[in-house]
C-alpha cells in the first residue's frame, strides 16, 4: 500500500511539473504573438501612406514614377 501511495504522489508531482512547463510555454507563445501583432500593425501603417507626386520638374508630376 505504501508503494501505491508513493506512486500516486510521484505522478501528481510529474503532472504539476508538466502543467507548470505548459503554462510557461503558453506565456512565451502569447508574448511572441503580441510582438508579431505589433510588427504587422507597424508594417501595415507604413504601407498605407499614400506616395506623393513630385512637385517640380517634368518627371513624376502626373504619375508617381519615384515609387
Amino acid at each position: 500500500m505504501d508503494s501505491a501511495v508513493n506512486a500516486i504522489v510521484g505522478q501528481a508531482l510529474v503532472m504539476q511539473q508538466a502543467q507548470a512547463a505548459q503554462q510557461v510555454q503558453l506565456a512565451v507563445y502569447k508574448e511572441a504573438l503580441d510582438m508579431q501583432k505589433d510588427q504587422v500593425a507597424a508594417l501595415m501603417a507604413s504601407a498605407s501612406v499614400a506616395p506623393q507626386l513630385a512637385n517640380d520638374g517634368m518627371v513624376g508630376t502626373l504619375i508617381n514614377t519615384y515609387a
Side-chain angles (χ1 to χ4, degrees), residues 33-65:
L33 283 179
D34 286 341
M35 286 191 310
Q36 281 185 342
K37 178 189 66 147
D38 294 340
Q39 290 173 349
V40 168
L43 181 63
M44 294 301 288
S46 68
S48 66
V49 174
Q52 300 294 320
L53 293 177
N55 294 330
D56 57 354
M58 297 182 63
V59 178
T61 57
L62 299 176
I63 299 174
N64 187 0
T65 58

Side-chain angles (χ1 to χ4, degrees), residues 14-38:
V14 168
M15 289 174 61
Q16 283 179 343
Q17 289 174 345
Q19 185 179 14
Q22 190 176 30
Q23 287 175 346
V24 169
Q25 290 172 349
L26 185 60
V28 170
Y29 178 69
K30 285 181 179 181
E31 186 175 337
L33 283 179
D34 286 341
M35 286 191 310
Q36 281 185 342
K37 178 189 66 147
D38 294 340

